Amino acid sequence: MSENSISAIIITKNEENNLPACLDSLTWVDEIIIVDSGSTDQTETIANSYGAKFYSHTNWQGFGKQKQLAQNYATSKWIIAIDADEVVSPELQQSIQLQISKADAQNQVFKIQRKTWVFGRFLQHSGWVDKIIRVYPKQLAHYNDALVHEKIVTEKHVKISQLQGDLFHYSYSNIENYLVKSASYGKAWADGRQKRGKKASLSQGFTHALGCFVKMYLLKRGFLDGKQGLLIAILSAHSTFIKYADLWIRENDCRAKK
């Protein structure tokens, strides 16, 4: 592999609807690594049709651990970490190729601006335009062990630069899809808190849910995202309450069984 070689790493489970668009935007990378956690649809067939290297790991230990596995399979000097429901824009592709050709691979990682498509539009406010590290030298950074909402960690001295162009995130196709994903993330959050001996109350859930709505819709100006901004603020507040309620229910169930 050359000094500028780059591997795309993706984790999947039943992503037949999203994966083609994602892989279409990655035809320029040197290799595509996919680590799957037990798909029962056409995910593997689609991956193979694009020449991706497909690995099955069904012993799910969380998003962070699964992405660590994917990175371990990569053979290129550089990594682009991408989810199956994300698409690299042409401008972002050009920026990545240009910047890694002159980057210091011993001391530099890159942030990408991500925009999320929600129920008919890209949100421009609501706190849903984020800048996240996604392009980095394999030996310089890696994902943490988080069960959910995993992050890339680096040494403190590392230089972080911003790439041009957008990463488009097509996260939710409909309300059912949102609720299923939200429930999964909420369960992972409650699992992690429970393992650490944390407790929760319904009043905490209500307070955090209200705070979530105020932050997204007012402080982050979600009202400028129209009806979608209002809807996602309400749904996010609901999801926040549910994860605290889940943890509270677990504690009360344990008490009842004693």
Side-chain angles (χ1 to χ4, degrees), residues 27 70 89 93 115 123 127 136 190 241:
T27 56
S89 68
Q93 172 194 334
K115 293 183 177 179
L123 297 182
Y136 53 91
F241 178 80

Side-chain angles (χ1 to χ4, degrees), residues 89-152:
S89 68
E91 183 183 3
L92 177 57
Q93 172 194 334
Q94 293 172 8
S95 180
I96 292 171
Q97 291 175 308
L98 174 63
Q99 294 304 320
I100 67 173
S101 69
K102 56 184 182 181
D104 178 5
Q106 304 301 315
N107 192 44
Q108 192 165 15
V109 300
F110 293 96
K111 280 187 175 182
I112 290 175
Q113 177 170 276
R114 180 174 62 172
K115 293 183 177 179
T116 301
W117 179 268
V118 176
F119 309 135
R121 71 183 294 173
F122 283 111
L123 297 182
Q124 301 293 335
H125 307 281
S126 305
W128 277 49
V129 177
D130 51 359
K131 295 179 180 180
I132 46 179
I133 296 172
R134 286 294 190 86
V135 176
Y136 53 91
K138 180 182 177 182
Q139 302 303 323
L140 197 60
H142 59 85
Y143 275 94
N144 60 16
D145 294 338
L147 290 173
V148 67
H149 302 313
E150 67 287 356
K151 294 181 180 179
I152 291 170

Side-chain angles (χ1 to χ4, degrees), residues 196-241:
R196 298 195 300 273
K198 302 293 185 179
K199 299 179 180 180
S201 66
L202 293 183
S203 61
Q204 280 181 313
F206 177 79
T207 301
H208 283 277
L210 179 60
C212 175
F213 180 85
V214 170
K215 180 179 179 180
M216 289 183 63
Y217 196 66
L218 298 178
L219 300 182
K220 297 292 185 179
R221 299 188 298 170
F223 56 87
L224 295 177
D225 284 321
K227 294 178 180 178
Q228 288 89 345
L230 175 61
L231 180 56
I232 201 63
I234 293 171
L235 288 173
S236 297
H238 168 266
S239 299
T240 298
F241 178 80

Side-chain angles (χ1 to χ4, degrees), residues 34 40 45 54 56 85 133 173 176 179 186 201 218 234 242 249:
I34 295 178
T40 57
T45 300
F54 189 90
S56 180
D85 58 2
I133 296 172
S173 56
E176 180 183 9
L179 293 174
S201 66
L218 298 178
I234 293 171
I242 291 300
I249 288 170

